[in-house]
Coordinates of all heavy atoms in Angstrom, one line a residue:
M10 N 17.9 -5.3 -4.2 CA 16.6 -4.5 -4.2 C 15.5 -5.1 -4.8 O 14.4 -5.0 -4.5 CB 17.1 -3.2 -4.7 CG 16.0 -2.2 -4.5 SD 15.7 -1.7 -2.9 CE 15.0 -0.2 -2.9
L11 N 15.8 -5.6 -6.1 CA 14.8 -6.3 -6.8 C 14.2 -7.5 -6.1 O 13.0 -7.7 -6.1 CB 15.2 -6.7 -8.1 CG 15.7 -5.6 -9.1 CD1 16.2 -6.2 -10.4 CD2 14.5 -4.7 -9.4
K12 N 15.0 -8.2 -5.4 CA 14.5 -9.4 -4.6 C 13.6 -8.9 -3.4 O 12.6 -9.6 -3.1 CB 15.6 -10.2 -3.9 CG 16.4 -11.1 -5.1 CD 17.4 -11.9 -4.4 CE 18.1 -12.8 -5.4 NZ 19.2 -13.6 -4.8
Y13 N 13.9 -7.8 -2.8 CA 13.1 -7.3 -1.7 C 11.8 -6.8 -2.2 O 10.9 -7.1 -1.5 CB 14.0 -6.1 -1.0 CG 13.1 -5.4 0.0 CD1 12.9 -6.0 1.3 CD2 12.5 -4.3 -0.2 CE1 12.2 -5.5 2.3 CE2 11.8 -3.8 0.9 CZ 11.6 -4.3 2.2 OH 10.8 -3.6 3.1
L14 N 11.7 -6.2 -3.4 CA 10.5 -5.7 -3.9 C 9.6 -6.8 -4.5 O 8.5 -6.6 -4.9 CB 10.8 -4.6 -4.8 CG 11.4 -3.3 -4.4 CD1 11.7 -2.3 -5.5 CD2 10.4 -2.6 -3.4
G15 N 10.2 -7.9 -4.7 CA 9.5 -9.0 -5.3 C 9.3 -9.2 -6.8 O 8.4 -9.7 -7.5
I16 N 10.2 -8.3 -7.4 CA 10.2 -8.3 -8.8 C 10.8 -9.4 -9.6 O 10.5 -9.7 -10.7 CB 10.9 -6.9 -9.3 CG1 10.0 -5.7 -8.7 CG2 10.9 -6.7 -10.9 CD1 10.7 -4.3 -8.8
T17 N 11.8 -10.0 -9.0 CA 12.5 -11.2 -9.6 C 11.6 -12.4 -9.5 O 10.7 -12.5 -8.8 CB 13.9 -11.5 -8.9 OG1 13.6 -11.8 -7.7 CG2 14.8 -10.3 -9.0
S18 N 11.9 -13.5 -10.5 CA 11.1 -14.6 -10.4 C 11.7 -15.7 -9.6 O 11.1 -16.8 -9.5 CB 11.2 -15.1 -11.9 OG 12.4 -15.4 -12.3
E19 N 12.8 -15.4 -8.8 CA 13.3 -16.4 -8.0 C 12.5 -16.6 -6.8 O 11.8 -15.6 -6.2 CB 14.7 -16.0 -7.5 CG 15.7 -15.9 -8.7 CD 17.0 -15.3 -8.1 OE1 17.3 -15.2 -7.0 OE2 17.9 -15.0 -9.1
A20 N 12.4 -17.7 -6.2 CA 11.7 -18.0 -4.9 C 12.6 -17.5 -3.8 O 13.8 -17.5 -3.9 CB 11.5 -19.6 -4.7
P21 N 11.9 -17.0 -2.7 CA 12.7 -16.5 -1.6 C 13.4 -17.7 -0.8 O 12.9 -18.8 -0.7 CB 11.7 -15.9 -0.6 CG 10.5 -16.6 -1.0 CD 10.5 -17.0 -2.5
T22 N 14.7 -17.4 -0.3 CA 15.4 -18.4 0.2 C 15.0 -18.5 1.8 O 15.3 -19.5 2.4 CB 16.9 -18.1 0.3 OG1 17.2 -16.8 0.7 CG2 17.4 -18.2 -1.2
D23 N 14.7 -17.5 2.4 CA 14.3 -17.4 3.8 C 12.7 -17.6 3.8 O 12.0 -17.9 3.0 CB 14.8 -16.3 4.6 CG 14.2 -14.9 3.9 OD1 13.7 -15.0 2.8 OD2 14.6 -13.9 4.4
D24 N 12.2 -17.4 5.0 CA 10.8 -17.5 5.3 C 9.9 -16.3 4.9 O 8.7 -16.2 4.9 CB 10.4 -17.9 6.7 CG 11.0 -19.3 7.2 OD1 11.0 -20.1 6.1 OD2 11.1 -19.5 8.4
S25 N 10.5 -15.2 4.3 CA 9.8 -14.0 4.0 C 9.1 -14.2 2.7 O 9.6 -15.0 1.9 CB 10.8 -12.9 4.0 OG 11.7 -13.1 2.8
I26 N 8.1 -13.5 2.7 CA 7.3 -13.5 1.3 C 7.5 -12.1 0.6 O 7.2 -11.1 1.1 CB 5.8 -13.6 1.6 CG1 5.7 -15.0 2.3 CG2 5.0 -13.6 0.3 CD1 4.2 -15.1 2.7
P27 N 8.2 -12.1 -0.6 CA 8.2 -10.8 -1.3 C 7.0 -10.2 -1.6 O 5.9 -10.8 -1.6 CB 9.1 -11.2 -2.5 CG 9.1 -12.5 -2.6 CD 8.6 -13.1 -1.3
A28 N 7.1 -8.7 -1.7 CA 5.9 -8.0 -2.0 C 5.2 -8.4 -3.5 O 6.0 -8.6 -4.3 CB 6.2 -6.6 -1.9
W29 N 4.0 -8.5 -3.4 CA 3.2 -8.8 -4.7 C 3.5 -10.0 -5.3 O 3.4 -10.2 -6.6 CB 3.4 -7.6 -5.6 CG 2.8 -6.5 -5.1 CD1 3.7 -5.3 -4.7 CD2 1.4 -6.0 -4.9 NE1 2.9 -4.4 -4.3 CE2 1.5 -4.6 -4.4 CE3 0.3 -6.6 -5.2 CZ2 0.4 -4.0 -4.1 CZ3 -0.8 -5.8 -5.0 CH2 -0.8 -4.5 -4.5
Q30 N 4.0 -11.1 -4.7 CA 4.4 -12.4 -5.2 C 3.1 -13.1 -5.8 O 2.2 -13.3 -5.0 CB 5.0 -13.4 -4.2 CG 5.4 -14.6 -4.8 CD 6.0 -15.6 -3.8 OE1 6.2 -15.2 -2.5 NE2 6.5 -16.7 -4.2
G31 N 3.1 -13.4 -7.1 CA 2.0 -14.2 -7.7 C 0.8 -13.3 -7.9 O -0.1 -13.9 -8.4
V32 N 0.8 -12.0 -7.9 CA -0.4 -11.1 -8.1 C -0.1 -10.6 -9.5 O 1.0 -10.0 -9.8 CB -0.4 -10.0 -7.2 CG1 -1.6 -9.0 -7.5 CG2 -0.5 -10.6 -5.8
P33 N -1.1 -10.8 -10.4 CA -1.1 -10.2 -11.8 C -1.0 -8.6 -11.8 O -1.4 -7.9 -10.9 CB -2.3 -10.6 -12.5 CG -2.9 -11.6 -11.6 CD -2.4 -11.5 -10.2
G34 N -0.3 -8.2 -12.9 CA -0.2 -6.7 -12.9 C -1.4 -5.8 -13.0 O -1.3 -4.8 -12.5
K35 N -2.5 -6.3 -13.6 CA -3.7 -5.7 -13.7 C -4.2 -5.5 -12.3 O -4.8 -4.5 -12.0 CB -4.6 -6.5 -14.5 CG -5.9 -5.7 -14.7 CD -6.8 -6.6 -15.8 CE -8.2 -5.7 -16.0 NZ -9.0 -6.5 -17.0
K36 N -4.2 -6.5 -11.4 CA -4.8 -6.3 -10.2 C -3.9 -5.5 -9.2 O -4.4 -4.8 -8.5 CB -4.8 -7.7 -9.5 CG -5.9 -8.6 -10.1 CD -6.1 -9.9 -9.3 CE -7.3 -10.8 -9.8 NZ -7.4 -12.0 -9.0
R37 N -2.6 -5.4 -9.6 CA -1.7 -4.6 -8.9 C -2.1 -3.1 -9.2 O -2.1 -2.2 -8.3 CB -0.2 -4.6 -9.3 CG 0.3 -5.9 -8.7 CD 1.7 -6.0 -9.1 NE 2.3 -7.3 -9.1 CZ 3.5 -7.6 -9.4 NH1 4.4 -6.8 -9.8 NH2 3.9 -8.9 -9.3
L38 N -2.4 -2.7 -10.4 CA -2.7 -1.6 -10.9 C -4.1 -1.0 -10.2 O -4.4 0.2 -9.9 CB -2.7 -1.3 -12.5 CG -1.3 -1.4 -13.0 CD1 -1.5 -1.3 -14.6 CD2 -0.5 -0.1 -12.6
I39 N -5.1 -2.0 -10.3 CA -6.4 -1.6 -9.8 C -6.3 -1.3 -8.2 O -6.9 -0.4 -7.8 CB -7.4 -2.8 -10.0 CG1 -7.6 -2.9 -11.6 CG2 -8.7 -2.7 -9.2 CD1 -8.5 -4.2 -11.9
S40 N -5.6 -2.2 -7.5 CA -5.5 -1.9 -6.1 C -4.7 -0.6 -5.8 O -5.0 0.1 -4.9 CB -4.8 -3.1 -5.3 OG -3.3 -3.1 -5.8
L41 N -3.7 -0.3 -6.8 CA -3.0 0.9 -6.5 C -4.0 2.2 -6.8 O -4.0 3.1 -6.0 CB -1.8 1.1 -7.4 CG -1.1 2.5 -7.4 CD1 -0.5 2.7 -6.0 CD2 0.1 2.4 -8.2
A42 N -4.9 2.1 -7.8 CA -5.8 3.1 -8.2 C -6.9 3.3 -7.0 O -7.2 4.4 -6.7 CB -6.4 2.7 -9.5
V43 N -7.3 2.2 -6.4 CA -8.3 2.3 -5.5 C -7.6 2.9 -4.2 O -8.2 3.7 -3.5 CB -8.7 0.9 -5.0 CG1 -9.6 0.9 -3.7 CG2 -9.7 0.3 -6.1
S44 N -6.4 2.6 -3.8 CA -5.6 3.2 -2.7 C -5.4 4.7 -2.9 O -5.6 5.5 -2.0 CB -4.2 2.4 -2.5 OG -4.4 1.1 -2.2
L45 N -5.1 5.1 -4.1 CA -4.9 6.4 -4.5 C -6.2 7.2 -4.4 O -6.3 8.4 -3.9 CB -4.2 6.6 -5.8 CG -2.7 6.4 -5.9 CD1 -2.3 6.5 -7.4 CD2 -2.0 7.5 -5.1
A46 N -7.3 6.6 -4.8 CA -8.6 7.2 -4.7 C -9.0 7.5 -3.1 O -9.5 8.5 -2.9 CB -9.6 6.5 -5.5
L47 N -8.8 6.6 -2.5 CA -9.1 6.6 -0.9 C -8.3 7.8 -0.4 O -8.7 8.5 0.5 CB -8.9 5.3 -0.3 CG -9.9 4.1 -0.5 CD1 -9.5 2.8 0.1 CD2 -11.2 4.6 0.0
A48 N -6.9 7.8 -0.7 CA -6.0 8.8 -0.1 C -6.6 10.2 -0.6 O -6.6 11.1 0.3 CB -4.7 8.5 -0.6
L49 N -6.9 10.3 -1.8 CA -7.5 11.7 -2.4 C -8.6 12.0 -1.5 O -8.9 13.2 -1.3 CB -7.6 11.6 -3.9 CG -6.3 11.8 -4.7 CD1 -6.7 11.5 -6.1 CD2 -5.7 13.1 -4.5
I50 N -9.6 11.1 -1.5 CA -10.9 11.4 -0.8 C -10.5 11.8 0.6 O -11.1 12.8 1.2 CB -11.8 10.2 -0.8 CG1 -12.2 10.0 -2.2 CG2 -12.9 10.3 0.2 CD1 -13.0 8.6 -2.4
T51 N -9.7 11.1 1.4 CA -9.4 11.5 2.7 C -8.7 12.8 2.8 O -8.9 13.6 3.5 CB -8.3 10.5 3.2 OG1 -8.9 9.1 3.0 CG2 -7.9 10.7 4.6
F52 N -7.8 13.1 1.8 CA -7.1 14.5 1.8 C -8.2 15.6 1.6 O -8.2 16.5 2.5 CB -6.2 14.6 0.6 CG -5.6 15.9 0.4 CD1 -4.7 16.4 1.3 CD2 -6.1 16.8 -0.6 CE1 -4.0 17.7 1.2 CE2 -5.5 18.0 -0.8 CZ -4.5 18.5 0.2
F53 N -9.1 15.4 0.7 CA -10.1 16.6 0.4 C -11.1 16.7 1.5 O -11.5 17.7 1.9 CB -10.8 16.3 -0.9 CG -9.8 16.8 -2.1 CD1 -9.4 15.7 -3.0 CD2 -9.3 18.0 -2.1 CE1 -8.7 16.0 -4.1 CE2 -8.5 18.3 -3.2 CZ -8.0 17.3 -4.0
V54 N -11.6 15.5 2.1 CA -12.6 15.5 3.2 C -11.9 16.2 4.3 O -12.5 17.1 5.2 CB -13.1 14.2 3.5 CG1 -13.9 14.2 4.8 CG2 -14.1 13.7 2.4
T55 N -10.6 15.8 4.8 CA -10.0 16.4 5.9 C -9.7 17.8 5.7 O -9.8 18.6 6.7 CB -8.6 15.7 6.1 OG1 -8.9 14.2 6.2 CG2 -8.0 16.0 7.4
R56 N -9.3 18.3 4.5 CA -9.1 19.6 4.2 C -10.2 20.4 4.4 O -10.3 21.5 4.8 CB -8.6 19.8 2.8 CG -8.1 21.1 2.5 CD -7.2 20.9 1.1 NE -7.4 22.3 0.5 CZ -7.0 22.6 -0.7 NH1 -6.8 21.5 -1.5 NH2 -7.1 23.8 -1.2
W57 N -11.5 19.9 3.9 CA -12.7 20.5 3.9 C -13.2 20.7 5.5 O -13.7 21.8 5.9 CB -13.8 19.7 3.1 CG -15.2 20.3 3.3 CD1 -15.6 21.5 3.0 CD2 -16.2 19.5 4.0 NE1 -17.1 21.5 3.3 CE2 -17.3 20.4 3.8 CE3 -16.4 18.4 4.6 CZ2 -18.6 19.9 4.4 CZ3 -17.6 18.0 5.1 CH2 -18.7 18.8 4.9
L58 N -13.0 19.6 6.2 CA -13.5 19.6 7.6 C -12.6 20.6 8.4 O -13.0 21.1 9.4 CB -13.3 18.2 8.2 CG -14.5 17.2 7.7 CD1 -14.0 15.9 8.3 CD2 -15.8 17.7 8.1
L59 N -11.3 20.8 8.1 CA -10.4 21.7 8.8 C -10.4 23.1 8.2 O -9.6 24.0 8.7 CB -9.1 21.1 8.8 CG -8.9 19.8 9.6 CD1 -7.5 19.3 9.5 CD2 -9.3 20.0 11.1
S60 N -11.1 23.3 7.2 CA -11.2 24.7 6.5 C -11.5 25.8 7.4 O -11.1 27.0 7.2 CB -12.0 24.7 5.2 OG -13.3 24.5 5.6
E61 N -12.3 25.6 8.5 CA -12.8 26.7 9.3 C -11.9 27.1 10.4 O -12.1 28.1 11.0 CB -14.2 26.4 9.9 CG -14.2 25.1 10.7 CD -15.6 24.8 11.3 OE1 -16.4 24.7 10.5 OE2 -15.7 24.4 12.4
F62 N -10.9 26.3 10.5 CA -10.0 26.6 11.5 C -8.7 27.5 11.0 O -8.4 27.2 9.8 CB -9.3 25.3 12.2 CG -10.3 24.5 13.0 CD1 -10.8 23.4 12.4 CD2 -10.8 25.0 14.2 CE1 -11.8 22.6 13.1 CE2 -11.7 24.2 14.9 CZ -12.2 23.0 14.4
P63 N -8.1 28.3 11.8 CA -7.0 28.9 11.2 C -5.7 28.3 10.8 O -5.6 27.2 11.5 CB -6.5 30.1 12.3 CG -7.2 29.5 13.4 CD -8.3 28.6 13.1
N64 N -5.1 28.5 9.6 CA -4.0 27.6 9.1 C -2.7 28.1 9.9 O -1.9 29.0 9.5 CB -3.8 27.8 7.8 CG -4.7 27.0 7.0 OD1 -5.2 26.0 7.4 ND2 -5.0 27.5 5.6
E65 N -2.5 27.5 11.1 CA -1.3 27.9 11.9 C -0.7 26.7 12.6 O -1.6 25.8 12.9 CB -1.7 29.0 13.0 CG -2.7 28.8 13.8 CD -3.1 29.9 14.7 OE1 -3.0 31.1 14.3 OE2 -3.4 29.7 15.9
G66 N 0.5 26.7 12.8 CA 1.1 25.4 13.4 C 1.1 24.2 12.5 O 1.4 24.3 11.4
Y67 N 0.7 23.2 13.1 CA 0.7 21.9 12.4 C -0.5 21.6 11.6 O -0.6 20.8 10.8 CB 0.9 20.8 13.5 CG 1.0 19.3 12.9 CD1 2.3 19.0 12.3 CD2 0.2 18.4 13.0 CE1 2.5 17.9 11.8 CE2 0.2 17.2 12.4 CZ 1.4 16.9 11.8 OH 1.6 15.7 11.3
L68 N -1.5 22.4 11.8 CA -2.8 22.1 11.0 C -2.8 22.0 9.5 O -3.5 21.1 9.0 CB -3.8 23.2 11.5 CG -5.3 22.8 11.2 CD1 -5.6 21.5 12.0 CD2 -6.2 24.0 11.5
P69 N -2.0 22.7 8.8 CA -2.0 22.7 7.3 C -1.4 21.3 6.9 O -1.7 20.8 5.7 CB -1.1 23.7 6.7 CG -1.0 24.7 7.9 CD -1.3 24.0 9.2
F70 N -0.7 20.5 7.7 CA -0.1 19.3 7.4 C -0.9 18.1 7.7 O -0.7 17.0 7.3 CB 1.3 19.1 8.0 CG 2.2 20.1 7.7 CD1 2.6 21.1 8.7 CD2 2.7 20.3 6.5 CE1 3.5 22.1 8.4 CE2 3.6 21.4 6.2 CZ 4.0 22.1 7.1
V71 N -2.1 18.3 8.4 CA -2.9 17.1 8.8 C -3.6 16.5 7.7 O -3.6 15.2 7.5 CB -4.0 17.6 9.8 CG1 -4.9 16.6 10.1 CG2 -3.3 18.1 11.2
P72 N -4.1 17.2 6.7 CA -4.7 16.5 5.3 C -3.6 15.7 4.7 O -3.9 14.6 4.3 CB -5.3 17.6 4.6 CG -5.5 18.8 5.6 CD -4.4 18.7 6.6
W73 N -2.5 16.2 4.7 CA -1.3 15.4 3.7 C -1.0 14.2 4.7 O -0.9 13.1 4.1 CB -0.2 16.3 3.8 CG -0.4 17.4 2.7 CD1 -0.6 18.8 3.1 CD2 -0.4 17.3 1.3 NE1 -0.9 19.5 1.8 CE2 -0.6 18.6 0.8 CE3 -0.2 16.3 0.5 CZ2 -0.7 18.9 -0.5 CZ3 -0.3 16.7 -1.0 CH2 -0.6 17.8 -1.4
N74 N -0.9 14.4 6.0 CA -0.5 13.2 6.8 C -1.6 12.1 6.8 O -1.3 11.0 6.8 CB -0.2 13.6 8.2 CG 1.1 14.2 8.3 OD1 2.0 14.1 7.4 ND2 1.4 15.1 9.4
A75 N -2.8 12.5 6.9 CA -4.1 11.6 6.8 C -4.1 10.8 5.6 O -4.2 9.6 5.4 CB -5.2 12.3 7.1
A76 N -3.8 11.6 4.4 CA -3.8 11.0 3.1 C -2.8 9.9 3.0 O -2.9 8.8 2.4 CB -3.8 12.0 2.1
V77 N -1.6 10.3 3.4 CA -0.4 9.3 3.4 C -0.6 8.1 4.1 O -0.3 7.0 3.9 CB 0.9 10.1 3.8 CG1 2.0 9.2 4.0 CG2 1.3 11.1 2.7
A78 N -1.2 8.4 5.4 CA -1.5 7.2 6.2 C -2.5 6.2 5.6 O -2.4 5.1 5.6 CB -1.9 7.7 7.6
V79 N -3.6 6.9 5.0 CA -4.7 6.0 4.3 C -3.9 5.2 3.1 O -4.2 4.1 2.9 CB -5.7 6.8 3.9 CG1 -6.7 6.1 2.8 CG2 -6.5 7.2 5.1
L80 N -3.1 6.0 2.4 CA -2.5 5.3 1.2 C -1.5 4.1 1.6 O -1.5 3.1 1.0 CB -1.6 6.4 0.4 CG -0.8 5.9 -0.8 CD1 -1.9 5.5 -1.8 CD2 0.0 7.0 -1.3
L81 N -0.8 4.5 2.6 CA 0.1 3.4 3.2 C -0.6 2.1 3.7 O -0.4 0.9 3.2 CB 1.0 3.9 4.3 CG 2.0 3.0 5.0 CD1 3.0 2.6 4.0 CD2 2.6 3.6 6.2
I82 N -1.6 2.4 4.6 CA -2.4 1.3 5.1 C -3.1 0.5 4.0 O -3.2 -0.7 3.9 CB -3.2 1.7 6.2 CG1 -2.4 2.3 7.5 CG2 -4.3 0.7 6.7 CD1 -3.1 3.0 8.5
S83 N -3.8 1.2 3.2 CA -4.7 0.7 2.1 C -3.9 -0.2 1.2 O -4.1 -1.3 0.8 CB -5.6 1.6 1.2 OG -4.8 2.5 0.7
S84 N -2.7 0.3 0.7 CA -1.8 -0.4 -0.2 C -1.2 -1.6 0.5 O -1.1 -2.7 -0.1 CB -0.7 0.5 -0.8 OG 0.1 1.0 0.2
L85 N -0.9 -1.5 1.7 CA -0.3 -2.6 2.5 C -1.3 -3.7 2.7 O -1.0 -4.9 2.4 CB 0.3 -2.2 3.8 CG 0.8 -3.2 4.8 CD1 2.0 -3.8 4.1 CD2 0.9 -2.7 6.1
M86 N -2.6 -3.4 3.0 CA -3.6 -4.2 3.1 C -3.9 -5.0 2.0 O -4.1 -6.1 1.8 CB -4.9 -3.7 3.7 CG -4.8 -3.4 5.2 SD -6.1 -2.5 5.7 CE -7.4 -3.4 5.5
A87 N -4.0 -4.3 0.7 CA -4.3 -4.9 -0.6 C -3.2 -5.8 -1.0 O -3.4 -6.8 -1.5 CB -4.3 -3.8 -1.6
E88 N -1.9 -5.4 -0.8 CA -0.8 -6.2 -1.2 C -0.8 -7.5 -0.4 O -0.6 -8.6 -0.9 CB 0.5 -5.4 -1.0 CG 1.8 -6.3 -1.3 CD 2.5 -7.0 -0.3 OE1 2.4 -6.4 0.9 OE2 3.1 -7.9 -0.6
R89 N -1.0 -7.5 0.9 CA -1.0 -8.6 1.8 C -2.2 -9.6 1.5 O -2.1 -10.8 1.6 CB -0.9 -8.3 3.2 CG 0.5 -7.8 3.6 CD 1.6 -9.0 3.5 NE 2.7 -8.5 3.0 CZ 3.8 -9.3 2.7 NH1 3.8 -10.5 3.2 NH2 5.0 -8.7 2.2
A90 N -3.3 -8.9 1.1 CA -4.5 -9.8 0.9 C -4.4 -10.4 -0.5 O -5.1 -11.6 -0.5 CB -5.8 -8.8 0.9
M91 N -3.8 -10.0 -1.5 CA -3.8 -10.7 -2.8 C -2.5 -11.6 -3.0 O -2.4 -12.1 -4.1 CB -3.7 -9.5 -3.8 CG -5.1 -8.8 -3.9 SD -5.4 -7.8 -5.4 CE -4.1 -6.6 -5.1
I92 N -1.7 -11.7 -2.0 CA -0.5 -12.5 -2.2 C -0.7 -13.9 -2.4 O -1.8 -14.4 -1.8 CB 0.4 -12.4 -0.8 CG1 1.4 -11.3 -1.2 CG2 1.1 -13.7 -0.6 CD1 2.5 -11.2 -0.1
R93 N -0.2 -14.4 -3.4 CA -0.4 -16.0 -3.5 C 1.0 -16.6 -3.3 O 1.8 -16.6 -4.3 CB -0.9 -16.2 -5.0 CG -2.2 -15.5 -5.3 CD -3.2 -16.3 -4.4 NE -4.6 -15.6 -4.7 CZ -5.2 -14.8 -4.0 NH1 -4.7 -14.5 -2.8 NH2 -6.4 -14.4 -4.3
N94 N 1.1 -17.2 -2.1 CA 2.5 -17.9 -1.9 C 2.5 -19.3 -2.6 O 1.5 -20.0 -2.3 CB 2.7 -18.0 -0.4 CG 4.2 -18.3 -0.3 OD1 5.0 -18.4 -1.0 ND2 4.3 -18.6 1.2
K95 N 3.5 -19.6 -3.2 CA 3.6 -20.9 -4.0 C 3.9 -21.9 -2.7 O 4.6 -21.7 -1.9 CB 4.8 -20.9 -4.9 CG 4.5 -20.0 -6.0 CD 5.7 -20.1 -7.1 CE 5.6 -19.1 -8.1 NZ 6.5 -19.0 -9.1
P96 N 3.2 -23.1 -2.9 CA 3.6 -24.1 -1.8 C 4.9 -24.7 -1.9 O 5.5 -24.7 -3.0 CB 2.5 -25.2 -2.1 CG 2.1 -25.0 -3.5 CD 2.4 -23.5 -3.9
A97 N 5.5 -25.1 -0.7 CA 6.9 -25.4 -0.7 C 6.9 -26.9 -1.4 O 6.0 -27.7 -1.4 CB 7.4 -25.6 0.7
E98 N 8.0 -27.1 -2.0 CA 8.2 -28.4 -2.7 C 8.5 -29.5 -1.7 O 9.2 -29.3 -0.7 CB 9.5 -28.5 -3.6 CG 9.3 -27.5 -4.8 CD 10.6 -27.5 -5.5 OE1 11.1 -28.6 -5.8 OE2 10.9 -26.5 -6.1
T99 N 7.8 -30.6 -1.8 CA 7.9 -31.8 -0.9 C 8.7 -32.8 -1.7 O 8.5 -33.0 -2.8 CB 6.6 -32.2 -0.4 OG1 5.8 -32.7 -1.6 CG2 5.9 -31.2 0.4
F100 N 9.7 -33.4 -0.9 CA 10.4 -34.5 -1.5 C 10.0 -35.8 -1.0 O 9.8 -36.0 0.4 CB 11.8 -34.4 -1.2 CG 12.5 -33.1 -1.8 CD1 12.6 -31.9 -1.1 CD2 12.8 -33.1 -3.2 CE1 13.1 -30.9 -1.6 CE2 13.4 -31.9 -3.7 CZ 13.6 -30.8 -3.0
E101 N 9.6 -36.7 -1.8 CA 9.3 -38.2 -1.3 C 10.5 -39.1 -1.6 O 11.2 -39.0 -2.5 CB 7.9 -38.6 -2.2 CG 6.8 -37.8 -2.0 CD 5.6 -38.2 -2.8 OE1 5.7 -39.4 -3.1 OE2 4.8 -37.4 -2.9
I102 N 10.4 -40.0 -0.7 CA 11.5 -41.0 -0.7 C 11.2 -42.3 -1.2 O 10.1 -42.8 -1.0 CB 12.1 -41.3 0.7 CG1 12.7 -39.9 1.3 CG2 13.2 -42.3 0.7 CD1 13.2 -40.1 2.6

């Protein structure tokens, strides 16, 4: 589980890149804070826009789903944008 999350210091054995590899902790926290802020803004704006409609059926869950979708997409984009993959070792003969 730790290898999948990219928390260990070991290099990956396959072609996959672990999450947050090479990204400093401060940048991780900043990107998480920005993602949470975007999700909260999305939640409140969506809730405000849908406030005039009656709360029946699926409508009360729309702001929550929109906020979760924005949080997921923004954190994924931030993580993949800040990845620093170490170059593969080359062996000379």
Side-chain angles (χ1 to χ4, degrees):
M10 184 69 157
L11 293 177
K12 286 183 182 179
Y13 177 77
L14 293 174
I16 297 174
T17 62
S18 61
E19 298 175 9
T22 56
D23 54 356
D24 290 338
S25 67
I26 300 173
W29 299 105
Q30 178 182 3
V32 179
K35 185 176 180 181
K36 288 187 179 181
R37 290 182 200 184
L38 289 176
I39 291 171
S40 67
L41 179 62
V43 169
S44 297
L45 282 173
L47 287 173
L49 283 173
I50 290 169
T51 303
F52 174 77
F53 287 119
V54 167
T55 309
R56 188 171 157 197
W57 173 67
L58 289 173
L59 296 175
S60 64
E61 62 187 44
F62 296 105
N64 284 337
E65 53 187 38
Y67 186 70
L68 196 61
F70 300 110
V71 171
W73 292 101
N74 287 337
V77 167
V79 167
L80 179 64
L81 176 69
I82 291 170
S83 65
S84 62
L85 178 67
M86 288 174 58
E88 183 261 332
R89 286 292 139 178
M91 290 193 294
I92 264 187
R93 300 291 182 255
N94 193 11
K95 296 178 183 175
E98 294 181 37
T99 57
F100 295 102
E101 295 182 21
I102 299 177

